Amino acid sequence: MKSVSIPAARTTPPGRAARGMRPLLAAALLALLAACGEDHITRYPQTTFAPETEMAREQMFLFNLTMWMGIVVGVLTFAGMGYIMWKFRYRPGMPDPEQIHGNTKLEVAWTLLPALIVAVIAVFTVRAIFITQPEPPANALNVRVIGKQWWWEFQYPVGNDTVITANEIHVPINQPVQLLLESDNVLHSFWVPQMAGKRDLITNRVNRLIFTPTVPGVYMGQCAEFCGDSHALMKMRLIAHTPEGFRQWLENEARPALEPTDSTSAVALGKKLVTQGACAGCHVIEGTPMVGRLGPNLTHFGRRRTLAAGIVDNNAENLAKWVSNAPAMKPGSLMPPQGKAAGGNLTEEQIQYIVAYLQSLQ
Ligand code: CUA
């Protein structure tokens, strides 16, 4: 066997100062974790088989029940078929088999048995329907969810006001969440599998989905109903907070956007471009004159983890790409290209100002 030499690039021992820092760093990290309430931990995988709510567990139980019944029936059927085909196989010189029609006992058995199996499944299905379509609990947190092409709008009633955000739905743990699902265009389907099964967003109808998250973290989800060009790029994240963490998030979201502190900074220049330029036609930033309702509300855009409905990280590079040519990242995007290179009006420099401003919206 040939021996493989591993380059000794990382063998330098850490300095004494660094070693001394370790317990401190660990303590700081722990304190940070406690402060965040694990809200930042991504709970992979995005799968039905890792349920985190009672509703998702009920649905998985139903799936497992039908799957195992199907496996038992399938194995028995194929084993029986195999046995009969082998036992009564053709041999040279055999007479023709006796011709018979019907066997009352068998006919009764294979009519009753499937009916019985379906009846068992029906009992558990009806039970699951009642469990997954409960009356809204009095203490439920209501969130209006509106499917867009191709992103999600989330609306939280706060007093007489409404907090509006996009693509990242924040909820508290241990409190029922009632989603009021709607669409103002085509069909979509809300699907965060660890929370609950798919439920459609339909025009002119409000569908409800009620579940109670129990573990803080970031859960992946996506649209699960074909809705046009960028259906596959219509992702979302559900962020489950501790009740205190959720309260803080909502409080911050309810505030208008921060003003740039220095009127000559890139942020201030960006603000002018955003609030007085093309962006204002489609977006809202609370605390500015912008009133457009076509695109996502950007009031606290800088706090979002991702952009373009969860397809890329929210960082300066991706944001610049998105502003200059959104349809290149998301086919069919209603936001036209803004960069000069893609036929828009903005220079690279102007886009950098806009990025600086949008990132400052914390
Ligand atoms: Cu929205 Cu698919």
Side-chain angles (χ1 to χ4, degrees):
M1 202 199 263
K2 247 173 107 182
S3 75
V4 180
S5 73
I6 296 159
R10 295 183 59 229
T11 49
T12 324
R16 232 173 242 169
R19 254 176 288 168
M21 289 293 285
R22 270 186 195 165
L24 259 178
L25 276 175
L29 196 67
L30 272 177
L32 193 70
L33 277 180
C36 298
E38 298 187 330
D39 297 343
H40 64 292
I41 297 174
T42 305
R43 308 276 172 191
Y44 287 115
Q46 180 188 309
T47 169
T48 308
F49 298 107
E52 283 291 359
T53 64
E54 202 196 328
M55 170 151 174
R57 270 188 283 274
E58 181 64 29
Q59 289 166 329
M60 192 172 77
F61 167 76
L62 198 60
F63 173 84
N64 278 333
L65 179 79
T66 46
M67 181 187 71
W68 283 109
M69 285 173 100
I71 285 174
V72 169
V73 169
V75 165
L76 289 178
T77 307
F78 283 106
M81 264 169 62
Y83 171 73
I84 288 166
M85 284 194 293
W86 177 78
K87 185 160 192 239
F88 299 105
R89 70 191 181 281
Y90 175 76
R91 293 183 194 86
M94 259 177 111
D96 279 350
E98 187 194 338
Q99 299 300 304
I100 55 164
H101 179 77
N103 176 313
T104 312
K105 272 185 201 158
L106 276 178
E107 295 282 354
V108 169
W110 63 49
T111 305
L112 279 187
L113 215 62
L116 206 69
I117 292 170
V118 171
V120 171
I121 293 173
V123 167
F124 285 101
T125 304
V126 169
R127 193 184 77 132
I129 287 172
F130 278 97
I131 290 176
T132 56
Q133 308 259 16
E135 281 302 306
N139 64 337
L141 171 82
N142 290 322
V143 185
R144 250 181 102 197
V145 180
I146 299 162
K148 303 279 186 172
Q149 275 173 313
W150 292 270
W151 55 281
W152 305 87
E153 179 161 295
F154 302 114
Q155 301 185 354
Y156 298 76
V158 178
N160 290 329
D161 226 348
T162 308
V163 162
I164 303 177
T165 186
N167 301 325
E168 294 175 10
I169 174 171
H170 293 251
V171 293
I173 55 162
N174 302 331
Q175 180 185 352
V177 177
Q178 173 174 230
L179 303 183
L180 303 158
L181 306 164
E182 294 168 56
S183 170
D184 60 8
N185 45 87
V186 297
L187 296 187
H188 302 273
S189 184
F190 184 96
W191 190 42
V192 180
Q194 287 184 279
M195 292 294 125
K198 300 162 186 177
R199 194 150 294 169
D200 281 3
L201 293 85
I202 299 172
T203 316
N204 293 328
R205 183 191 155 85
V206 178
N207 272 345
R208 291 186 298 121
L209 181 62
I210 300 168
F211 55 87
T212 309
T214 54
V215 182
V218 181
Y219 297 87
M220 312 296 283
Q222 67 185 81
C223 179
E225 176 77 52
F226 181 69
C227 54
D229 289 3
S230 281
H231 156 68
L233 302 175
M234 188 170 166
K235 298 180 185 229
M236 75 183 111
R237 277 163 179 72
L238 181 142
I239 296 127
H241 295 268
T242 57
E244 178 55 22
F246 175 73
R247 199 188 55 77
Q248 286 174 8
W249 173 82
L250 194 61
E251 231 168 54
N252 187 70
E253 289 291 310
R255 274 196 274 271
L258 292 172
E259 277 299 311
T261 42
D262 174 359
S263 62
T264 57
S265 63
V267 172
L269 291 171
K271 183 185 173 186
K272 205 174 254 173
L273 285 165
V274 169
T275 55
Q276 296 172 12
C279 314
C282 298
H283 295 278
V284 172
I285 296 177
E286 303 289 348
T288 76
M290 291 169 73
V291 289
R293 288 288 291 116
L294 223 63
N297 183 309
L298 300 176
T299 309
H300 297 281
F301 173 82
R303 287 189 119 202
R304 292 187 202 144
R305 293 156 165 81
T306 58
L307 63 96
I311 59 174
V312 289
D313 285 342
N314 184 4
N315 59 37
E317 193 191 333
N318 288 334
L319 186 51
K321 271 195 218 164
W322 175 257
V323 173
S324 53
N325 191 353
M329 291 170 82
K330 183 173 256 186
S333 168
L334 288 181
M335 181 159 118
Q338 304 296 327
K340 275 221 157 78
N345 293 318
L346 298 172
T347 63
E348 284 296 316
E349 200 186 6
Q350 288 174 316
I351 288 174
Q352 289 310 321
Y353 295 150
I354 288 175
V355 167
Y357 175 57
L358 292 178
Q359 288 195 314
S360 79
L361 297 171
Q362 291 293 316

